[in-house]
Amino acid sequence: MPFVAKLYDDDRSAERYPVLLDGTLRNPQAEPQDVVIDDLSASGFRTATARGLAVGDTITLGIFGVGLRTARVQRAGDGHYGCQFVAPLTAEELASALGGLTPPDPIVFPGQGLVQQPGTGVSVEPEWSLSGRMRLLAIGAAAVIPWTVLGLIWLAI
């Protein structure tokens, strides 16, 4: 008894990134729906929030930082849809899409130094605090100076 085998190109070798990215998907009828992308790679993405798609459908996906991309639905099951981009994302587009996942480096102004937080590798601006005497002096000055200015204005009138 002969068996028939279906061979197809399954390009799933691109590195995948687990994400939670918002996007706008347009189904074959061009109806927009908001989706959450939970897996992204240069060659495609996976979403669980799309509705009414079938394997083989050509869709359009809008991702912030990338723009509009055409894709085909390759897999559907368990409420998830796996889609392959018609033209893979470039390294710059993928980095732009993933850019919101890591916080940007803080801006260091001239003359300011950052301190590494132990064990985290995060640089933060050093905190400064006043001693108890300096706090009392600052509070006293903040209370006395406005009254002194008002008294001088009153005498000048």
Short mmCIF file of all heavy atoms in Angstrom, two decimals, residues 94-157:
data_model
loop_
_atom_site.label_atom_id
_atom_site.label_comp_id
_atom_site.label_asym_id
_atom_site.label_seq_id
_atom_site.Cartn_x
_atom_site.Cartn_y
_atom_site.Cartn_z
N LEU A 94 13.48 44.12 13.33
CA LEU A 94 13.28 43.25 14.49
C LEU A 94 13.76 43.95 15.76
O LEU A 94 13.07 43.94 16.79
CB LEU A 94 14.01 41.92 14.30
CG LEU A 94 13.80 40.89 15.39
CD1 LEU A 94 12.33 40.52 15.53
CD2 LEU A 94 14.62 39.64 15.09
N ALA A 95 14.92 44.60 15.69
CA ALA A 95 15.44 45.33 16.86
C ALA A 95 14.51 46.47 17.23
O ALA A 95 14.28 46.73 18.42
CB ALA A 95 16.84 45.85 16.57
N SER A 96 13.93 47.13 16.25
CA SER A 96 13.00 48.23 16.52
C SER A 96 11.74 47.71 17.19
O SER A 96 11.23 48.32 18.12
CB SER A 96 12.66 48.95 15.22
OG SER A 96 11.74 49.97 15.45
N ALA A 97 11.23 46.58 16.73
CA ALA A 97 10.03 46.01 17.33
C ALA A 97 10.30 45.55 18.76
O ALA A 97 9.45 45.67 19.64
CB ALA A 97 9.52 44.84 16.50
N LEU A 98 11.49 45.02 18.98
CA LEU A 98 11.84 44.54 20.31
C LEU A 98 12.39 45.64 21.20
O LEU A 98 12.59 45.43 22.39
CB LEU A 98 12.89 43.42 20.21
CG LEU A 98 12.45 42.17 19.46
CD1 LEU A 98 13.62 41.22 19.31
CD2 LEU A 98 11.30 41.49 20.17
N GLY A 99 12.60 46.83 20.63
CA GLY A 99 13.20 47.94 21.37
C GLY A 99 12.45 48.33 22.62
O GLY A 99 13.04 48.79 23.59
N GLY A 100 11.12 48.18 22.65
CA GLY A 100 10.36 48.55 23.83
C GLY A 100 10.47 47.57 24.96
O GLY A 100 9.94 47.80 26.04
N LEU A 101 11.18 46.46 24.76
CA LEU A 101 11.25 45.44 25.79
C LEU A 101 12.33 45.71 26.82
O LEU A 101 12.26 45.23 27.93
CB LEU A 101 11.51 44.07 25.16
CG LEU A 101 10.46 43.62 24.17
CD1 LEU A 101 10.85 42.28 23.58
CD2 LEU A 101 9.11 43.51 24.84
N THR A 102 13.33 46.47 26.47
CA THR A 102 14.38 46.78 27.42
C THR A 102 14.41 48.28 27.67
O THR A 102 14.25 49.06 26.74
CB THR A 102 15.76 46.35 26.88
OG1 THR A 102 15.98 47.00 25.63
CG2 THR A 102 15.82 44.84 26.70
N PRO A 103 14.59 48.69 28.91
CA PRO A 103 14.61 50.12 29.17
C PRO A 103 15.84 50.76 28.54
O PRO A 103 16.90 50.15 28.48
CB PRO A 103 14.67 50.21 30.70
CG PRO A 103 15.18 48.90 31.14
CD PRO A 103 14.78 47.89 30.10
N PRO A 104 15.69 51.99 28.06
CA PRO A 104 16.84 52.66 27.46
C PRO A 104 17.87 53.02 28.53
O PRO A 104 17.55 53.12 29.71
CB PRO A 104 16.23 53.91 26.84
CG PRO A 104 14.99 54.16 27.63
CD PRO A 104 14.49 52.82 28.05
N ASP A 105 19.10 53.22 28.09
CA ASP A 105 20.14 53.65 29.01
C ASP A 105 19.83 55.06 29.48
O ASP A 105 19.36 55.90 28.71
CB ASP A 105 21.51 53.64 28.32
CG ASP A 105 21.96 52.23 27.99
OD1 ASP A 105 21.55 51.30 28.73
OD2 ASP A 105 22.72 52.06 27.02
N PRO A 106 20.08 55.35 30.75
CA PRO A 106 19.78 56.69 31.25
C PRO A 106 20.71 57.72 30.62
O PRO A 106 21.84 57.41 30.25
CB PRO A 106 20.01 56.57 32.75
CG PRO A 106 20.87 55.38 32.93
CD PRO A 106 20.58 54.47 31.78
N ILE A 107 20.22 58.93 30.52
CA ILE A 107 21.01 60.02 29.96
C ILE A 107 21.92 60.55 31.06
O ILE A 107 21.47 60.86 32.15
CB ILE A 107 20.10 61.15 29.44
CG1 ILE A 107 19.22 60.62 28.32
CG2 ILE A 107 20.92 62.34 28.98
CD1 ILE A 107 18.15 61.59 27.87
N VAL A 108 23.20 60.66 30.77
CA VAL A 108 24.16 61.19 31.73
C VAL A 108 24.53 62.59 31.27
O VAL A 108 25.05 62.78 30.18
CB VAL A 108 25.42 60.30 31.81
CG1 VAL A 108 26.41 60.87 32.79
CG2 VAL A 108 25.04 58.89 32.19
N PHE A 109 24.23 63.56 32.10
CA PHE A 109 24.58 64.94 31.79
C PHE A 109 26.01 65.20 32.24
O PHE A 109 26.50 64.56 33.18
CB PHE A 109 23.60 65.90 32.46
CG PHE A 109 22.22 65.79 31.91
CD1 PHE A 109 21.24 65.07 32.59
CD2 PHE A 109 21.89 66.37 30.71
CE1 PHE A 109 19.97 64.96 32.08
CE2 PHE A 109 20.62 66.26 30.19
CZ PHE A 109 19.66 65.56 30.87
N PRO A 110 26.69 66.14 31.60
CA PRO A 110 28.08 66.43 32.00
C PRO A 110 28.16 66.79 33.48
O PRO A 110 27.33 67.52 34.00
CB PRO A 110 28.45 67.63 31.13
CG PRO A 110 27.51 67.57 29.97
CD PRO A 110 26.26 66.95 30.48
N GLY A 111 29.14 66.23 34.15
CA GLY A 111 29.34 66.53 35.56
C GLY A 111 28.57 65.62 36.49
O GLY A 111 28.69 65.70 37.69
N GLN A 112 27.73 64.75 35.94
CA GLN A 112 26.97 63.83 36.77
C GLN A 112 27.56 62.43 36.63
O GLN A 112 27.98 62.03 35.55
CB GLN A 112 25.51 63.77 36.36
CG GLN A 112 24.71 64.98 36.72
CD GLN A 112 23.25 64.77 36.37
OE1 GLN A 112 22.94 63.98 35.49
NE2 GLN A 112 22.39 65.47 37.07
N GLY A 113 27.56 61.73 37.69
CA GLY A 113 28.04 60.35 37.65
C GLY A 113 26.92 59.41 38.05
O GLY A 113 26.04 59.77 38.81
N LEU A 114 26.95 58.21 37.53
CA LEU A 114 25.97 57.21 37.89
C LEU A 114 26.63 56.17 38.78
O LEU A 114 27.83 55.91 38.70
CB LEU A 114 25.39 56.54 36.65
CG LEU A 114 24.60 57.44 35.72
CD1 LEU A 114 24.11 56.65 34.52
CD2 LEU A 114 23.43 58.07 36.43
N VAL A 115 25.83 55.57 39.64
CA VAL A 115 26.31 54.56 40.56
C VAL A 115 25.66 53.24 40.19
O VAL A 115 24.46 53.17 39.93
CB VAL A 115 25.93 54.95 42.02
CG1 VAL A 115 26.34 53.87 42.98
CG2 VAL A 115 26.58 56.28 42.39
N GLN A 116 26.45 52.17 40.15
CA GLN A 116 25.92 50.84 39.86
C GLN A 116 25.22 50.29 41.10
O GLN A 116 25.78 50.29 42.19
CB GLN A 116 27.06 49.87 39.49
CG GLN A 116 27.65 50.11 38.14
CD GLN A 116 26.85 49.43 37.05
OE1 GLN A 116 25.65 49.33 37.13
NE2 GLN A 116 27.52 48.98 36.01
N GLN A 117 24.00 49.80 40.93
CA GLN A 117 23.31 49.14 42.03
C GLN A 117 23.90 47.75 42.18
O GLN A 117 24.00 47.01 41.20
CB GLN A 117 21.80 49.03 41.76
CG GLN A 117 21.06 50.31 41.98
CD GLN A 117 19.55 50.10 41.79
OE1 GLN A 117 19.13 49.19 41.09
NE2 GLN A 117 18.78 50.96 42.41
N PRO A 118 24.29 47.38 43.39
CA PRO A 118 24.92 46.07 43.57
C PRO A 118 24.01 44.92 43.17
O PRO A 118 22.84 44.90 43.53
CB PRO A 118 25.22 46.02 45.07
CG PRO A 118 24.98 47.39 45.61
CD PRO A 118 24.17 48.13 44.61
N GLY A 119 24.54 44.00 42.40
CA GLY A 119 23.83 42.78 42.04
C GLY A 119 22.85 42.93 40.89
O GLY A 119 22.36 41.94 40.37
N THR A 120 22.54 44.16 40.46
CA THR A 120 21.57 44.32 39.38
C THR A 120 22.21 44.75 38.08
O THR A 120 21.65 44.52 37.02
CB THR A 120 20.50 45.37 39.75
OG1 THR A 120 21.13 46.65 39.91
CG2 THR A 120 19.76 44.99 41.01
N GLY A 121 23.35 45.42 38.15
CA GLY A 121 23.99 45.91 36.94
C GLY A 121 23.30 47.13 36.38
O GLY A 121 23.56 47.55 35.27
N VAL A 122 22.39 47.74 37.14
CA VAL A 122 21.66 48.91 36.69
C VAL A 122 22.34 50.15 37.23
O VAL A 122 22.68 50.22 38.41
CB VAL A 122 20.19 48.86 37.18
CG1 VAL A 122 19.45 50.12 36.79
CG2 VAL A 122 19.50 47.63 36.64
N SER A 123 22.55 51.14 36.36
CA SER A 123 23.15 52.39 36.78
C SER A 123 22.05 53.37 37.17
O SER A 123 21.08 53.54 36.43
CB SER A 123 23.98 53.00 35.66
OG SER A 123 25.03 52.13 35.33
N VAL A 124 22.20 53.99 38.32
CA VAL A 124 21.22 54.97 38.78
C VAL A 124 21.94 56.21 39.27
O VAL A 124 23.12 56.17 39.60
CB VAL A 124 20.33 54.40 39.92
CG1 VAL A 124 19.47 53.27 39.43
CG2 VAL A 124 21.16 53.97 41.10
N GLU A 125 21.20 57.29 39.33
CA GLU A 125 21.76 58.53 39.85
C GLU A 125 21.91 58.38 41.36
O GLU A 125 21.01 57.89 42.03
CB GLU A 125 20.82 59.68 39.51
CG GLU A 125 21.42 61.03 39.80
CD GLU A 125 20.53 62.16 39.30
OE1 GLU A 125 19.85 61.96 38.28
OE2 GLU A 125 20.52 63.19 39.95
N PRO A 126 23.04 58.80 41.91
CA PRO A 126 23.22 58.64 43.35
C PRO A 126 22.23 59.52 44.12
O PRO A 126 21.91 60.63 43.71
CB PRO A 126 24.66 59.10 43.58
CG PRO A 126 25.00 59.94 42.41
CD PRO A 126 24.18 59.43 41.27
N GLU A 127 21.71 58.96 45.20
CA GLU A 127 20.79 59.72 46.04
C GLU A 127 21.59 60.56 47.01
O GLU A 127 22.63 60.16 47.49
CB GLU A 127 19.88 58.76 46.82
CG GLU A 127 18.92 58.00 45.94
CD GLU A 127 17.98 57.14 46.77
OE1 GLU A 127 17.71 57.47 47.93
OE2 GLU A 127 17.51 56.14 46.22
N TRP A 128 21.10 61.75 47.27
CA TRP A 128 21.73 62.59 48.27
C TRP A 128 20.69 62.94 49.31
O TRP A 128 19.51 63.04 49.04
CB TRP A 128 22.35 63.84 47.65
CG TRP A 128 21.38 64.69 46.90
CD1 TRP A 128 20.98 64.56 45.61
CD2 TRP A 128 20.67 65.82 47.42
NE1 TRP A 128 20.07 65.51 45.28
CE2 TRP A 128 19.86 66.31 46.38
CE3 TRP A 128 20.63 66.46 48.65
CZ2 TRP A 128 19.03 67.40 46.54
CZ3 TRP A 128 19.80 67.56 48.80
CH2 TRP A 128 19.02 68.01 47.75
N SER A 129 21.14 63.09 50.51
CA SER A 129 20.23 63.45 51.58
C SER A 129 20.93 64.43 52.51
O SER A 129 22.15 64.52 52.55
CB SER A 129 19.78 62.22 52.35
OG SER A 129 20.90 61.61 52.97
N LEU A 130 20.13 65.19 53.22
CA LEU A 130 20.66 66.18 54.16
C LEU A 130 20.70 65.58 55.56
O LEU A 130 19.85 64.77 55.92
CB LEU A 130 19.76 67.42 54.16
CG LEU A 130 19.64 68.17 52.84
CD1 LEU A 130 18.62 69.29 52.96
CD2 LEU A 130 20.98 68.73 52.41
N SER A 131 21.66 66.02 56.32
CA SER A 131 21.72 65.59 57.72
C SER A 131 20.55 66.24 58.46
O SER A 131 19.89 67.17 57.95
CB SER A 131 23.05 66.00 58.35
OG SER A 131 23.14 67.41 58.42
N GLY A 132 20.31 65.81 59.67
CA GLY A 132 19.21 66.36 60.47
C GLY A 132 19.34 67.86 60.68
O GLY A 132 18.36 68.62 60.58
N ARG A 133 20.54 68.35 60.99
CA ARG A 133 20.76 69.79 61.20
C ARG A 133 20.50 70.58 59.92
O ARG A 133 19.91 71.65 59.95
CB ARG A 133 22.18 70.05 61.68
CG ARG A 133 22.40 69.62 63.10
CD ARG A 133 23.79 69.98 63.54
NE ARG A 133 24.04 69.48 64.89
CZ ARG A 133 25.18 69.55 65.49
NH1 ARG A 133 26.21 70.09 64.89
NH2 ARG A 133 25.31 69.07 66.70
N MET A 134 20.97 70.05 58.80
CA MET A 134 20.77 70.76 57.52
C MET A 134 19.29 70.80 57.15
O MET A 134 18.81 71.78 56.59
CB MET A 134 21.59 70.11 56.41
CG MET A 134 23.08 70.34 56.53
SD MET A 134 23.54 72.07 56.54
CE MET A 134 23.15 72.54 54.88
N ARG A 135 18.56 69.76 57.46
CA ARG A 135 17.11 69.76 57.20
C ARG A 135 16.42 70.84 58.02
O ARG A 135 15.58 71.58 57.50
CB ARG A 135 16.51 68.40 57.54
CG ARG A 135 16.85 67.33 56.54
CD ARG A 135 16.16 66.03 56.88
NE ARG A 135 16.70 64.96 56.06
CZ ARG A 135 16.54 63.70 56.31
NH1 ARG A 135 15.85 63.30 57.35
NH2 ARG A 135 17.06 62.79 55.50
N LEU A 136 16.76 70.94 59.31
CA LEU A 136 16.16 71.98 60.16
C LEU A 136 16.52 73.38 59.64
O LEU A 136 15.67 74.28 59.62
CB LEU A 136 16.61 71.81 61.60
CG LEU A 136 15.98 70.65 62.36
CD1 LEU A 136 16.61 70.52 63.74
CD2 LEU A 136 14.49 70.82 62.47
N LEU A 137 17.76 73.56 59.22
CA LEU A 137 18.18 74.84 58.68
C LEU A 137 17.41 75.17 57.40
O LEU A 137 16.97 76.32 57.21
CB LEU A 137 19.69 74.83 58.41
CG LEU A 137 20.28 76.12 57.85
CD1 LEU A 137 20.09 77.27 58.85
CD2 LEU A 137 21.74 75.95 57.53
N ALA A 138 17.24 74.20 56.51
CA ALA A 138 16.50 74.43 55.27
C ALA A 138 15.04 74.75 55.55
O ALA A 138 14.45 75.66 54.93
CB ALA A 138 16.60 73.20 54.37
N ILE A 139 14.41 74.05 56.50
CA ILE A 139 13.01 74.33 56.85
C ILE A 139 12.89 75.71 57.46
O ILE A 139 11.98 76.48 57.13
CB ILE A 139 12.47 73.23 57.80
CG1 ILE A 139 12.36 71.91 57.05
CG2 ILE A 139 11.12 73.64 58.38
CD1 ILE A 139 12.07 70.72 57.94
N GLY A 140 13.81 76.06 58.35
CA GLY A 140 13.78 77.39 58.96
C GLY A 140 13.96 78.49 57.93
O GLY A 140 13.26 79.51 57.96
N ALA A 141 14.90 78.29 57.01
CA ALA A 141 15.13 79.30 55.98
C ALA A 141 13.91 79.43 55.07
O ALA A 141 13.52 80.54 54.69
CB ALA A 141 16.36 78.93 55.16
N ALA A 142 13.29 78.30 54.75
CA ALA A 142 12.10 78.34 53.90
C ALA A 142 10.95 79.05 54.60
O ALA A 142 10.10 79.65 53.94
CB ALA A 142 11.69 76.92 53.51
N ALA A 143 10.92 79.05 55.92
CA ALA A 143 9.85 79.72 56.66
C ALA A 143 10.17 81.20 56.89
O ALA A 143 9.28 82.05 56.86
CB ALA A 143 9.61 79.02 57.99
N VAL A 144 11.43 81.53 57.14
CA VAL A 144 11.80 82.90 57.51
C VAL A 144 11.98 83.80 56.29
O VAL A 144 11.57 84.97 56.32
CB VAL A 144 13.09 82.87 58.37
CG1 VAL A 144 13.64 84.27 58.59
CG2 VAL A 144 12.81 82.18 59.69
N ILE A 145 12.59 83.32 55.24
CA ILE A 145 12.91 84.17 54.08
C ILE A 145 11.67 84.81 53.47
O ILE A 145 11.67 86.03 53.22
CB ILE A 145 13.75 83.38 53.05
CG1 ILE A 145 15.14 83.10 53.63
CG2 ILE A 145 13.84 84.12 51.72
CD1 ILE A 145 16.01 82.23 52.77
N PRO A 146 10.56 84.09 53.20
CA PRO A 146 9.39 84.77 52.63
C PRO A 146 8.84 85.88 53.54
O PRO A 146 8.44 86.94 53.05
CB PRO A 146 8.36 83.66 52.44
CG PRO A 146 9.15 82.39 52.43
CD PRO A 146 10.35 82.65 53.26
N TRP A 147 8.84 85.64 54.86
CA TRP A 147 8.34 86.67 55.77
C TRP A 147 9.26 87.88 55.79
O TRP A 147 8.81 89.02 55.88
CB TRP A 147 8.16 86.11 57.19
CG TRP A 147 6.98 85.18 57.27
CD1 TRP A 147 7.01 83.85 57.41
CD2 TRP A 147 5.61 85.55 57.19
NE1 TRP A 147 5.74 83.33 57.43
CE2 TRP A 147 4.86 84.38 57.29
CE3 TRP A 147 4.93 86.77 57.04
CZ2 TRP A 147 3.46 84.36 57.25
CZ3 TRP A 147 3.54 86.76 57.00
CH2 TRP A 147 2.82 85.56 57.11
N THR A 148 10.54 87.66 55.67
CA THR A 148 11.49 88.77 55.62
C THR A 148 11.27 89.60 54.36
O THR A 148 11.27 90.84 54.42
CB THR A 148 12.93 88.23 55.67
OG1 THR A 148 13.09 87.41 56.82
CG2 THR A 148 13.94 89.35 55.69
N VAL A 149 11.09 88.94 53.23
CA VAL A 149 10.84 89.64 51.97
C VAL A 149 9.54 90.43 52.07
O VAL A 149 9.47 91.61 51.66
CB VAL A 149 10.81 88.65 50.78
CG1 VAL A 149 10.34 89.33 49.51
CG2 VAL A 149 12.18 88.03 50.57
N LEU A 150 8.47 89.84 52.61
CA LEU A 150 7.21 90.54 52.75
C LEU A 150 7.36 91.76 53.68
O LEU A 150 6.79 92.84 53.42
CB LEU A 150 6.13 89.62 53.28
CG LEU A 150 5.53 88.63 52.28
CD1 LEU A 150 4.58 87.67 52.99
CD2 LEU A 150 4.81 89.36 51.18
N GLY A 151 8.13 91.61 54.76
CA GLY A 151 8.36 92.74 55.69
C GLY A 151 9.10 93.88 55.00
O GLY A 151 8.77 95.05 55.20
N LEU A 152 10.10 93.55 54.18
CA LEU A 152 10.85 94.60 53.46
C LEU A 152 9.96 95.30 52.45
O LEU A 152 10.04 96.52 52.26
CB LEU A 152 12.07 93.99 52.79
CG LEU A 152 13.18 93.52 53.73
CD1 LEU A 152 14.26 92.81 52.95
CD2 LEU A 152 13.76 94.69 54.51
N ILE A 153 9.10 94.56 51.79
CA ILE A 153 8.16 95.18 50.83
C ILE A 153 7.21 96.10 51.58
O ILE A 153 6.90 97.20 51.14
CB ILE A 153 7.42 94.08 50.03
CG1 ILE A 153 8.39 93.35 49.09
CG2 ILE A 153 6.26 94.69 49.23
CD1 ILE A 153 7.78 92.15 48.39
N TRP A 154 6.74 95.67 52.75
CA TRP A 154 5.80 96.47 53.55
C TRP A 154 6.45 97.78 53.99
O TRP A 154 5.82 98.84 53.95
CB TRP A 154 5.36 95.66 54.76
CG TRP A 154 4.35 96.40 55.62
CD1 TRP A 154 4.62 97.10 56.74
CD2 TRP A 154 2.97 96.51 55.40
NE1 TRP A 154 3.50 97.65 57.24
CE2 TRP A 154 2.45 97.29 56.41
CE3 TRP A 154 2.09 96.01 54.42
CZ2 TRP A 154 1.11 97.62 56.52
CZ3 TRP A 154 0.78 96.32 54.53
CH2 TRP A 154 0.28 97.12 55.56
N LEU A 155 7.72 97.73 54.37
CA LEU A 155 8.41 98.94 54.78
C LEU A 155 8.68 99.87 53.60
O LEU A 155 8.72 101.11 53.77
CB LEU A 155 9.75 98.59 55.45
CG LEU A 155 9.64 97.94 56.84
CD1 LEU A 155 11.02 97.52 57.31
CD2 LEU A 155 8.99 98.89 57.84
N ALA A 156 8.87 99.30 52.43
CA ALA A 156 9.15 100.12 51.25
C ALA A 156 7.91 100.86 50.75
O ALA A 156 8.02 101.90 50.10
CB ALA A 156 9.71 99.25 50.14
N ILE A 157 6.75 100.37 51.09
CA ILE A 157 5.51 101.02 50.61
C ILE A 157 5.21 102.19 51.40
O ILE A 157 5.20 102.92 52.10
CB ILE A 157 4.34 100.02 50.63
CG1 ILE A 157 4.59 98.88 49.67
CG2 ILE A 157 3.05 100.72 50.26
CD1 ILE A 157 3.51 97.86 49.64
#
